[in-house]
Amino acid sequence: MHTGLEESNDGFKKLSAFYAERVRGGVGLIVTGGFSPNFRGRLHPLSAQFSSGRHARTHRVITDAVHTEGGKIALQLLHAGRYAMHPLAQSASAIKSPISKFAPREMSARQIRSTIRDFAHSAELAREAGYDGVELMGSEGYLINQFICQRTNCRYDEWGGSYEKRIRFPVEVVKAVREKVGHDFIIVFRLSMLDLVEQGSTLEEVVQLAKALEQAGVTIINTGIGWHEARIPTIATQVPRAAFAWVTEKLRGEVSVPLVAVNRINTPDVAEDILSSGQADMVSMARPLLADPEFVKKAEESRADDINTCIACNQACLDHVFKGKRASCLVNPQACYETELVVTPAVRSRKIAVIGGGMAGMSFATTAAERGFHVDLFERKGELGGQFNLARRIPGKEEFNETTRYFSRRVEQTGVNVHLGKEVSAEDLRDYDHIVVATGVKPRMPSIPGIDHPKVVDYMTFIRERKDPGNRVAIIGAGGIGVDVATMITEPEGQTLNDWLADWGIDNNIAHEGGLFPHPNFVAHRQVWLLQRRPGRVGKGPGKTTGWIHKRTLEKRGVEALGGVVYEKIDDQGLHIQLEGQRHILPADTVVVCAGQTSVTEMIPVLAEFGDKVHVIGGAEKAGELDAKRAIRQGIELAIV
Ligand code: NAP
Ligand code: SF4
């Protein structure tokens, strides 16, 4: 996957360290992030390109690092087509995409031929640079995919019209690449098997293309699911594990080259099920290898419990990349920072007390103990995990269990001394060289008249106790947690994978174009109002790549999202509000308060006498931007100083 290091200063050195660590961790074949075969194909004006001898020479540091560790690596060639965010964008036809503000120009037949030559030339240079193969990006709605589908190809020349003519471009690209690189070089083709957009391919067409690609000389066919403009979640945490392995399976027996399954494969068990049941020949993973570079090795050694599992939150990887920042990982901040966040053995022995066993506390404690410090971790509650113990109770966020499992395991393995159910006093802390306060947050209760009415409950109590809130629920606050609560109370019970696919209108026979049913049925289960004082968009939640999923989920479930609300009071009738100057009563049975948090800081004045031995991290330091990404990273950063 693209990491953002491809374009940054000194990025290749860091990228080499990133890949080398994954090879040591047992990865069989690495595929890089996308490099464009020419200038017009770049995703952004400054995106990475691979088309000259100079590029080949600069990539040597990467291929050498991978080969030194005994691995293999393929360069991904990606032409953005109409997804390019610049005025030189080109595509099969001049049809603007909804995700770029630049309309593409239609490619002339001459430009098509020269683009095919560019792909072949780049592949030849990749070989020169020491790569073991290339992956041709033929999915996710990029240029090759744009030629294949009617949605974006309205040509009537030899490159458009019938399906046969629309697939001519990918087939010619493969033939040209094969001719240049010879037969002992891997060509992976990322084939869009389920477009999830209108006027996408049907299964019959996908099979026809796969056969043509095999004939043209591909070595491996990788699966692509959904265009970037598709409005169906394909990798977010609410997507069930291995939700799309059935798509790859549909091509089994149709071609003889190996088929690779993708998307939401994040544990060895899930991968093993896919392989042993014959759904695919290989599995590919991107985010799980950010979360744990040793995933494969640990799986091989039957140490699945030691794996730091990707929870598919996208918060530090894709959300970063789409904002032009370097990717990392919420649960593993060392990802893509292998040369910067280095854990070294401690020079002097120190005794450290950590107060609070949430993510910040556990992240600090485990890293400090790994360095060789003596660490005592005090947690007032009976379990470790803090806010993650709430998050994991939200339907669709069950993956958060994995993070508490992993960090608890690390606590055991690194020898942190855990004291559960223990309120510490200054007296208990006198003997320590350092005291780390990671006491987290508590819900903010706004001063609305009637806030102490029995129908009002704070989100922590509500999520923990899971009492039936009745048929009408008002949620005060539409941040990440308000959205989570709205999702939780509108979630249909006992959803299977098929229910989930049906809920999003996915045709699991791929008989309809793009694998979409024309009109999916949406069902509302309970009346819910999601409220915020700020005018404007409500209910998107915090993530750039996941906000639209939350919004669409809540729309589908009939949640009424209201911005610009003034809260007046809460009484037996419900929640009284003003909206655009008009008074309304929302006849809520329950009012759930999700109005942010305040830091739990009671310990800080008690510890004043210890001066600069005291360090405050996570939500206890700053509740405003509380999030697990900052908390876990802060814990590591403090522990490695
Ligand atoms: P948040 O995102 O800051 O949202 C707080 C909400 O409460 C806002 O909608 C705010 O809107 C409202 N609010 C604030 N003060 C209020 C007051 N005095 N009276 C009434 N309403 C008030 O906080 P959060 O939802 O509690 O989430 C906490 C953190 O966890 C965030 O950093 C979030 O990113 C993270 N989180 C992430 C996810 C995820 O899926 N990635 C999920 C949950 C939480 P108005 O001020 O406009 O009313
Ligand atoms: Fe997975 Fe979240 Fe890490 Fe991305 S940031 S790799 S989605 S755990």
Side-chain angles (χ1 to χ4, degrees):
M1 69 182 285
H2 199 83
T3 62
L5 288 171
E6 293 79 358
E7 291 92 9
S8 68
N9 275 345
D10 224 12
F12 277 23
K13 232 165 94 187
K14 292 172 187 167
L15 205 50
S16 310
F18 169 78
Y19 289 140
E21 187 162 341
R22 270 91 198 143
V23 178
R24 284 192 293 277
V27 169
L29 170 65
I30 289 175
V31 179
T32 66
F35 286 82
S36 177
N38 59 28
F39 189 76
R40 284 174 182 269
R42 292 180 179 205
L43 202 48
H44 295 273
L46 298 178
S47 290
Q49 187 174 330
F50 187 90
S51 55
S52 69
R54 188 177 62 81
H55 292 141
R57 284 190 293 281
T58 52
H59 278 242
R60 265 280 168 197
V61 61
I62 292 175
T63 53
D64 285 349
V66 169
H67 292 147
T68 304
E69 299 297 339
K72 292 210 182 298
I73 182 161
L75 178 84
Q76 188 186 76
L77 293 175
L78 181 157
H79 190 302
R82 70 177 196 144
Y83 281 170
M85 312 283 177
H86 54 71
L88 296 178
Q90 302 181 307
S91 183
S93 296
I95 302 171
K96 193 180 158 311
S97 91
I99 60 174
S100 168
K101 57 181 184 197
F102 298 97
R105 293 251 177 103
E106 180 173 302
M107 292 165 83
S108 66
R110 200 160 64 88
Q111 286 171 327
I112 293 174
R113 289 193 187 286
S114 80
T115 303
I116 293 171
R117 281 196 300 276
D118 290 341
F119 269 104
H121 180 56
S122 297
E124 191 181 23
L125 288 169
R127 192 177 174 130
E128 251 175 70
Y131 283 103
D132 302 285
V134 287
E135 177 174 84
L136 301 171
M137 172 47 93
S139 63
E140 326 299 302
Y142 291 116
L143 181 72
I144 294 180
N145 213 172
Q146 290 159 27
F147 266 91
I148 298 167
C149 295
Q150 255 180 341
R151 179 181 183 80
T152 39
N153 184 346
C154 309
R155 305 177 71 99
Y156 288 104
D157 59 4
E158 68 270 40
W159 303 101
S162 66
Y163 189 69
E164 205 119 31
K165 287 185 178 171
R166 280 185 273 128
I167 62 172
R168 184 162 171 212
F169 182 68
V171 171
E172 294 291 326
V173 169
V174 173
K175 281 186 185 162
V177 169
R178 180 53 81 206
E179 204 181 302
K180 285 279 185 196
V181 296
H183 286 280
D184 54 347
F185 193 71
I186 300 165
I187 303 177
V188 186
F189 191 93
R190 186 106 194 251
L191 170 58
S192 187
M193 297 188 194
L194 183 68
D195 293 311
L196 296 179
V197 288
E198 281 153 19
Q199 295 184 290
S201 303
T202 61
L203 178 63
E204 203 184 320
E205 292 173 334
V206 170
V207 169
Q208 184 182 336
L209 174 55
K211 288 181 170 167
L213 293 170
E214 181 174 22
Q215 278 235 311
V218 298
T219 324
I220 294 170
I221 294 179
N222 193 3
T223 306
I225 303 286
W227 290 33
H228 283 313
E229 68 204 69
R231 277 299 167 249
I232 295 191
T234 54
I235 58 168
T237 195
Q238 49 276 81
V239 176
R241 289 175 173 180
F244 296 101
W246 57 272
V247 180
T248 315
E249 188 180 11
K250 295 212 181 277
L251 265 78
R252 296 277 290 172
E254 302 285 358
V255 286
S256 56
V257 291
L259 293 165
V260 187
V262 292
N263 287 42
R264 292 289 283 118
I265 301 169
N266 67 337
T267 70
D269 279 357
V270 172
E272 184 57 31
D273 280 353
I274 291 171
L275 297 174
S276 59
S277 66
Q279 286 185 298
D281 303 288
M282 298 167 75
V283 290
S284 76
M285 297 174 195
R287 298 172 300 167
L289 295 166
L290 283 183
D292 196 329
E294 296 196 315
F295 182 107
V296 183
K297 192 167 157 222
K298 289 175 181 173
E300 202 171 19
E301 293 167 0
S302 300
R303 292 196 291 128
D305 255 10
D306 294 350
I307 292 175
N308 193 0
T309 307
C310 165
I311 57 175
C313 65
N314 289 356
Q315 273 177 262
C317 52
L318 295 181
D319 284 352
H320 278 204
V321 171
F322 284 111
K323 285 186 207 149
K325 285 166 64 180
R326 190 193 316 184
S328 187
C329 173
L330 180 140
V331 298
N332 174 25
Q334 286 167 295
C336 298
Y337 287 81
E338 283 72 16
T339 57
E340 293 146 275
L341 286 180
V342 184
V343 181
T344 52
V347 233
R348 258 178 301 170
S349 122
R350 293 256 185 254
K351 208 172 159 201
I352 305 177
V354 182
I355 311 171
M359 295 322 298
M362 285 206 281
S363 164
F364 173 85
T366 51
T367 314
E370 189 185 337
R371 295 193 64 196
F373 294 122
H374 174 102
V375 182
D376 283 305
L377 174 61
F378 300 97
E379 167 56 50
R380 194 163 37 158
K381 297 212 174 75
E383 60 178 353
L384 297 174
Q387 297 285 304
F388 267 42
N389 288 325
L390 290 182
R392 66 193 174 87
R393 290 180 160 89
I394 306 290
K397 283 196 159 177
E398 293 81 3
E399 293 289 4
F400 284 67
N401 272 312
E402 302 293 348
T403 309
T404 48
R405 184 259 310 146
Y406 169 76
F407 275 92
S408 303
R409 181 107 175 113
R410 288 284 298 148
V411 162
E412 256 172 61
Q413 290 172 330
T414 54
V416 174
N417 305 301
V418 179
H419 309 269
L420 291 178
K422 169 81 181 159
E423 293 257 12
V424 275
S425 65
E427 214 38 55
D428 299 322
L429 301 168
R430 226 159 267 295
D431 285 346
Y432 290 92
D433 299 303
H434 292 282
I435 301 157
V436 176
V437 179
T439 40
V441 294
K442 59 184 178 206
R444 177 194 288 129
M445 293 305 272
S447 52
I448 303 167
I451 196 76
D452 49 0
H453 191 280
K455 67 171 64 177
V456 181
V457 57
D458 69 81
Y459 73 86
M460 270 193 195
T461 313
F462 183 72
I463 297 173
R464 202 167 283 133
E465 294 183 356
R466 298 192 75 127
K467 283 203 183 124
D468 180 358
N471 287 331
R472 291 162 304 183
V473 182
I475 301 172
I476 293 181
I481 291 177
V483 168
D484 277 354
V485 168
T487 308
M488 179 173 157
I489 59 180
T490 52
E491 180 81 2
E493 293 212 346
Q495 262 206 338
T496 62
L497 174 59
N498 279 338
D499 297 335
W500 184 86
L501 294 170
D503 193 30
W504 284 96
I506 299 170
D507 162 17
N508 55 7
N509 288 315
I510 325 180
H512 291 85
E513 287 175 358
L516 284 182
F517 283 121
H519 298 291
N521 292 326
F522 297 154
V523 195
H525 295 279
R526 167 181 270 150
Q527 182 160 21
V528 177
W529 298 275
L530 180 63
L531 311 167
Q532 75 180 27
R533 296 170 302 176
R534 224 170 332 123
R537 303 213 314 171
V538 187
K540 275 192 73 173
K544 187 163 169 64
T545 58
T546 47
W548 64 270
I549 304 173
H550 295 303
K551 196 159 167 21
R552 189 139 165 71
T553 303
L554 297 183
E555 277 166 10
K556 281 182 342 142
R557 296 178 186 180
V559 171
E560 209 172 327
L562 301 173
V565 170
V566 178
Y567 305 112
E568 292 207 315
K569 63 175 177 181
I570 302 158
D571 61 17
D572 291 347
Q573 286 182 288
L575 175 61
H576 298 242
I577 59 165
Q578 273 191 44
L579 196 62
E580 294 174 351
Q582 301 283 315
R583 290 206 144 94
H584 302 270
I585 304 172
L586 307 180
D589 302 313
T590 302
V591 177
V592 187
V593 179
C594 307
Q597 298 77 21
T598 53
S599 300
V600 176
T601 53
E602 288 80 7
M603 281 308 289
I604 297 172
V606 177
L607 303 175
E609 60 174 294
F610 298 117
D612 59 8
K613 283 182 174 183
V614 179
H615 313 265
V616 185
I617 60 170
E621 189 226 7
K622 198 168 166 192
E625 288 168 29
L626 153 86
D627 71 43
K629 182 175 74 176
R630 182 168 66 86
I632 296 175
R633 190 178 174 100
Q634 228 184 353
I636 291 194
E637 280 174 346
L638 180 63
I640 63 174
V641 176

